[in-house]
Amino acid sequence: MAKNKTVYACSACGAQFPKWTGQCQDCGDWNTLQEEASYASAGTATLGAKKSARFEGFAPKAKVQKLKQVSLSATPRASSGLAELDRVLGGGLVAGSIVLLGGDPGIGKSTLILQSLALLSAKSSTLYVTGEESAEQIALRANRLGVSDADLALLADNQLEDILAVALEVKPSVLVIDSIQTLYTETLQSAPGSVAQVRETASRLVRFGKQTKTIIILVGHVTKEGALAGPRVLEHMVDTVLYFEGEQNSSFRLVRAIKNRFGAVNEIGVFAMTDSGLKEVSNPSAMFINRAQENATGSVVLVSQEGTRPLLVEVQALVDQSSLANPRRVTVGLDNQRLAMLLAVVNQHAGFSLYDQDVFVNVIGGVKILEPAADLAILLAVLSSFRGAALDPNLAVFGEIGLTGEIRPVQRGLDRVREVEKLGFTRLIMPKGNVSGVKSSKLDIVPVTTLEQAVRYAFD
Ligand code: TYD
Ligand code: MG
């Protein structure tokens, strides 16, 4: 395409230039110029003048309304076909909403999408655009998933203008782009997957979705380090950001909402990857507890909370004499800084000094627990390993620890207690601040206010 369709804009000051230079001539910053579609060209892309005037340019002038006059029709939601996915979406897909599904390559994004679309296509029209795989590959996967007779429209293409033209014709209610990194628009010269292409194609899809009330699901690859930052630049453009995560060596997969304009965040959906696709795990609570051995030292069951759902996870610790000047503090699935802080608290307020010990703490099953309610479980696991004393296998714990050694209440105490009951544990150490209103005939509840008390109960 002609050169004058793109400009180079400084990401620091916004100045625009016809050519790329290493330094912005305006503000003097280095390496800030990025290719962008110039405004005129973005409006008259290949769709043709008439269509683009309707769908690509400005929407008809909006009226000013009083807040109280805005009519509130209940947000209509369509089920994605998978209850675990609906849970993360806040109850289903909202008409006209744009969802970004990010995750490592190979984690199962295409599988999840194909399963969901196959179920969705029974009720609504769907269009699956694949820029990565051929139609045959998708058909093969559908075969494997047992959904090959689904009424699903497939398009193997990666040129944005083509895709929009097809979408205008097919008028799907759900449009999936797998993946946004493979799309390119003719108005930019940079390669597919570059930040400029990702941003431009996504923003035009978002505009298309809003104007035609189409639900759009954008699939995007992210590496753990966020290095290939493609999808990150999209997070502010879309309504909902979901991340699909899991460990390489585990079949469990979690879908997590990072941002949701139509529901709660930090909600998780749990799946297991099998030979025939993803299976929903509707009661995942017991899944992360793996107690092969009774009386193992260094193991504690934590009652955690993910979104609206309590989750019991096993925290394991290993404390070992260190040969290093700076003993190691290593965590997997937990905050490293927090562990260092907790070790200082246990030294000051419970009298155990671990300054010459290596401390490793791990959460089983590849889950990440970042809430402070994990504090007590972490310290009890550490002390259990340090003292070589196993804890009661029927014990579960939760509670935040403050710097003065006090045990602080946490959110949703009652939900956690109910979950512990449900899974047949018999003893629960919890913050005293959470016990009001909690009654249980099945559980021996131990309310504590200080770390010292908790340690005494746990090891008695
Ligand atoms: P895929 O959906 O292609 O991942 P992504 O789109 O995120 O890159 O899934 C990749 C992996 O899932 C692949 O290594 C094979 C595995 N898989 C199964 O184990 N069972 C199945 O039924 C399917 C379809 C895939
Ligand atoms: Mg894929």
Side-chain angles (χ1 to χ4, degrees), residues 365-431:
V367 251
K368 280 195 199 70
I369 308 285
L370 295 174
E371 59 162 4
D375 291 353
L376 187 55
I378 296 172
L379 272 193
L380 290 180
V382 167
L383 290 180
S384 163
S385 172
F386 182 57
R387 305 175 65 178
L391 295 173
D392 179 358
N394 292 310
L395 171 76
V397 303
F398 68 89
E400 177 178 350
I401 300 180
L403 289 180
T404 64
E406 86 275 19
I407 307 287
R408 304 164 57 90
V410 299
Q411 292 179 41
R412 293 180 180 262
L414 192 57
D415 291 352
R416 296 182 204 241
V417 176
R418 294 285 162 264
E419 193 68 19
V420 175
E421 258 183 348
K422 208 164 88 190
L423 287 169
F425 286 80
T426 53
R427 236 170 133 209
L428 173 65
I429 301 184
M430 62 183 281

Side-chain angles (χ1 to χ4, degrees), residues 103-115 128 132-133 140-142 144-145 178 219-221 244 253 273-278:
D104 290 340
I107 198 77
K109 298 180 295 297
S110 303
T111 307
L112 180 69
I113 288 297
L114 187 56
Q115 280 183 258
Y128 185 7
E132 268 170 22
E133 293 164 291
L140 266 178
R141 181 180 291 130
R144 185 169 174 187
L145 299 172
D178 187 1
V219 175
H221 296 292
F244 202 32
R253 301 283 183 270
M273 181 63 95
T274 68
D275 283 348
S276 51
L278 292 156

Side-chain angles (χ1 to χ4, degrees), residues 187-352:
T187 55
L188 294 178
Q189 286 151 22
S190 45
S194 66
V195 172
Q197 285 284 7
V198 167
R199 203 168 39 197
E200 179 63 17
T201 51
S203 77
R204 299 222 345 244
L205 282 162
V206 167
R207 231 179 310 159
F208 174 84
K210 296 289 172 199
Q211 288 175 7
T212 57
K213 292 257 182 315
T214 309
I215 297 170
I216 299 188
I217 303 178
L218 304 175
V219 175
H221 296 292
V222 216
T223 58
K224 275 241 165 62
E225 303 73 36
L228 201 118
R232 283 282 149 85
V233 304
L234 305 181
E235 285 181 0
H236 69 278
M237 282 185 210
V238 300
D239 298 309
T240 304
V241 179
L242 304 182
Y243 273 90
F244 202 32
E245 14 174 277
E247 293 291 304
Q248 287 290 317
N249 45 14
S250 147
S251 63
F252 292 112
R253 301 283 183 270
L254 304 182
V255 188
R256 196 183 285 275
I258 304 293
K259 161 180 172 180
N260 194 350
R261 287 185 182 146
F262 304 107
V265 286
N266 290 330
E267 197 67 82
I268 61 168
V270 184
F271 294 89
M273 181 63 95
T274 68
D275 283 348
S276 51
L278 292 156
K279 294 275 176 303
E280 300 184 66
V281 181
S282 50
N283 183 10
S285 209
M287 186 178 97
F288 299 105
I289 301 174
N290 164 28
R291 311 203 111 179
Q293 221 181 330
E294 288 228 331
N295 297 326
T297 60
S299 154
V300 170
V301 173
L302 158 72
V303 196
S304 179
Q305 182 84 33
E306 286 280 353
T308 57
R309 167 189 253 169
L311 197 64
L312 270 72
V313 291
E314 182 181 346
V315 177
Q316 292 187 342
L318 179 64
V319 178
D320 190 26
Q321 185 74 40
S322 179
S323 56
L324 302 170
N326 285 318
R328 270 181 284 206
R329 275 85 179 86
V330 181
T331 56
V332 180
L334 294 162
D335 180 4
N336 218 41
Q337 299 290 328
R338 190 109 193 149
L339 174 64
M341 188 195 93
L342 291 172
L343 293 179
V345 174
V346 83
N347 182 28
Q348 285 292 325
H349 299 288
F352 295 98

